[in-house]
Amino acid sequence: DHVDLPVAQISDGDRILPDHVFVVPPGMTVDIRDDRLHLTARIETETLHRPIDAFFDAMARDRGRDAYCVVLSGMGTDGSAGLRTVKAHGGYAFVQDSRGARFPGMPHSAIATGLVDFVLPVERIATQLAELINLRQRLSRQGIAPDIKLAIEAALPRFAERLAGVVGNDFSSYKPGTLVRRIERRMSILRITQVDAFLDLLQDKTEAELLAQEFLIGVTHFFRDPAAFAALRDVVIPALLDGTEAALRVWVPGCSTGEEAYSIAILFMEAMEARRDPRSLQVFGTDIDTASLTAARYGRFSPAAVAHLDPSYLQKYFADELGEHRAVPRLRAACIFSPHNVIQDPPFSRIDLISCRNLLIYLSADLQRQVMPRFHFALRDNGYLLLGPSEGLSGEDNLFRSVDKANRIFIKNADARTSYAALLDTPRRAAAQLSAPARQPQPVGISRELSREAGVEREFLRSFAPPFALLSAAGEVVYLSQRMTGFVQLSSGTPSTLIDGFLMPDLRIPVRTALQQCVDTADVQTTTNIVVQSDAGPRIFDITIGPAGGDYILVLTEVRAIEAGRVGDVLERRDSVDRDILETEVIQLRKQLAQTLQESETSGEELKSFNEELMSMNEELQSSNEELETSREEEQSINEELETVNAELQENNRQLTRANSDLKNLFESTDLAVLFLDGDFCVRSFTPNVSKLFGIRMRDIGRPISDLASRIEYPDLRDDADRVTESLQSFEREVVIQATGETYILRIKPYRTTDNRLDGYVLSFVDITQRKTYEDTLKRNERALERQYAELENLYDTTPVGLALVDRDLRWVRINETLARI
């Protein structure tokens, strides 16, 4: 087929137009922003050019849930990584069926991600794409989309219950917004607009697993967020290597396809190799997505997945394999991948580092508060926690101390107590088995014609139909017709439900052979001229077995048109055929016996291996028991120490209470206005007179002073405070209340802690009128003292008595004129 469409090479800034084909110029990559195409020169250092991945990434960021990506015939793996990004942003993925593709490399790689919505022949992709877009636009135009969202949100508990019963994972506490978007997206793919209809469809395990997979889409790559990994390499790993001599254990919850676990293992192995550290390293990667874990265990990555990996790491830790890159054995051996639900399953223990990045953002606040105590329990003392850039401690700040706030690195607070206990965890609920839906009762007013038809059919089957039976694939009898009971001859021994234990001996071998062939081929099988010996003489039957739903129908048809003289020939041929069948069965049984013996030997070896593992686990349990005994003794010793510390704390508390009371009385009794600020100019404390200058109350403690209503205009507070910090000396200046003309002397002094650290500022305000009154009083007192001193001098010099002043050592200090004359 051909279509008349304009084809043009992209120029930077071209607007996207419908019914146009755009071609990327050589050496360029294309980006999309605001409905325009933007070109960027290809980076020369890139070893692998991935223009489709780059465009898919840009389209996902720009369009979000309105992004549709289509992967057609092509070599290599370009497009697979970008498809993951489109799906992570809620978009849709179409892939050409590889059977009709000239080059199936790109379709195979895209399908292998497990995230493709439609795998179609190329001629059906456009139609399906148009139907999906038209459906979404119609729902939006008719105003149905908001109603569907509200209905989905109201039914979220039912969705969570259904998935928990079928898949085994509880999504009830995931963020509702994410769940609603994923469910709505799945319903649009299936073109379903009724929530109840979709819930009914989720009784199918396959459809339930597809919806659960929608919730588990993860975007990851090697060394994602380089700054965080650089901090991990420079700060955390050296501290762990210096701080312990035990084997190093790392836990990566929500590891997806394993890139982050391998990245952390590489950093540890590089550091340990530089130190020649022989210790073992275990990196546990866990997830509830078993498909992703399978890919992580295999450890093979496409060229697109390792495109941004350091070339030295790529050469050292990955080997080329069939055009892809596979982790070398020592790297693969350091990483252990296992299914684990961070909420439902008990956490790991004795962990040195937990890297939980971009998992908590999908959990509700309540679930996040449950996860943090589990992480605290899992970590060793001085163990580290690494979170994503948009994640925090969820209110459990007392459990961890910040090490690098910018890169979200925390260290365990070993002194903090947590309410989590592994023994209180409830066992994880296994996926429930779906029971068959109950049959709906027939309506009371059923048609009389239908009733007559059913009666006629029953009578025909009972009286005129040939003998028949319903069998399972294993040969078990499910149903026998009334006429079939004439061919039943029970065998002696233990009763069995297999057809061999029911039929007459002449029928057993042909029926068993025909049933096996029917099961293998799924086609109707017919065996002719089966001779059955009866009381009335030999009877000849044809056997027909065909599939019926999940079971198989056996029909016996008696052959009438056969000459009496040919019965002997038929019996002889039948005996020959039976001998051939028996010989074939004997050969098959011998092969099965040999295979069974081989499997038995393999099972024996596996049992030996399991026995060794059990012995190892037993030794670990014994070691753990000894550790528990030691821990119990240590806890007793710690308990005694805690009692002593508790007594000291009580005494300190009494002293602190007394000091607080003294400080409160001091504040209330002083007439000075004193304001205490911390280093960020937030209110720490104040005396009652401060309320005359600032609109301040006790509830304002902790608020910035700039937020308070002030009667004083003082814009230079921060500059003056910086001057005090630099000089470590007090600073004074006059400040004026413009409304009343009152003038105060403001004195700023540095606030010093008991260990002589600067931790804020002390602002004291003195009314200048009070100060002038005080100064006038001092001057009057000085003048009075001067007059008294002058009078004393006159008296001292004019008295006729000789006077002298001497010090303690009897040395002259002063004599008057009378004594001088003497």
Side-chain angles (χ1 to χ4, degrees), residues 277-407:
D277 192 329
R279 283 179 289 178
S280 63
L281 170 67
Q282 290 180 317
V283 180
F284 298 96
T286 63
D287 206 296
I288 61 176
D289 186 358
T290 54
S292 295
L293 288 175
T294 301
R297 289 193 189 101
Y298 200 57
R300 198 166 80 176
F301 300 95
S302 66
V306 299
H308 298 288
L309 192 60
D310 189 302
S312 61
Y313 290 163
L314 181 61
Q315 183 177 4
K316 186 175 182 179
Y317 293 102
F318 293 89
D320 292 339
E321 182 178 296
L322 300 176
E324 294 187 325
H325 304 274
R326 188 167 190 175
V328 297
R330 67 190 186 101
L331 176 61
R332 177 62 190 88
C335 299
I336 302 167
F337 297 97
S338 171
H340 182 276
N341 191 314
V342 74
I343 300 300
Q344 299 176 0
D345 297 333
F348 291 83
S349 61
R350 296 177 291 114
I351 297 297
D352 296 292
L353 168 66
I354 296 177
S355 176
C356 182
R357 305 179 67 245
N358 304 314
L359 170 64
L360 300 180
I361 57 177
Y362 296 104
L363 306 181
S364 65
D366 182 59
L367 275 188
Q368 294 180 24
R369 285 191 294 270
Q370 295 180 38
V371 168
M372 286 303 157
R374 290 169 175 264
F375 287 168
H376 184 271
F377 173 84
L379 286 171
R380 287 190 175 119
D381 291 348
N382 297 324
Y384 288 85
L385 172 65
L386 175 62
L387 299 179
S390 302
E391 297 170 335
L393 296 178
S394 306
E396 300 290 344
D397 296 17
N398 62 311
L399 300 181
F400 300 92
R401 296 192 301 271
S402 177
V403 175
D404 186 339
K405 186 176 295 186
N407 292 303

Side-chain angles (χ1 to χ4, degrees), residues 43-114:
I43 301 175
E44 296 297 333
T45 57
E46 285 185 346
T47 58
L48 183 66
H49 187 39
R50 299 182 298 113
I52 300 176
D53 281 335
F55 181 73
F56 282 176
D57 289 344
M59 180 177 64
R61 290 191 301 269
D62 187 72
R63 294 303 180 91
R65 299 178 61 201
D66 293 326
Y68 303 84
C69 68
V70 180
V71 178
L72 301 175
S73 172
M75 299 295 292
T77 61
D78 194 13
S80 299
L83 183 147
R84 285 182 176 275
T85 308
V86 170
K87 291 285 291 184
H89 285 76
Y92 300 82
F94 292 75
V95 175
Q96 179 183 356
D97 191 341
S98 59
R99 289 174 295 184
R102 182 178 180 184
F103 302 105
M106 286 173 53
H108 279 165
S109 178
I111 294 171
T113 63

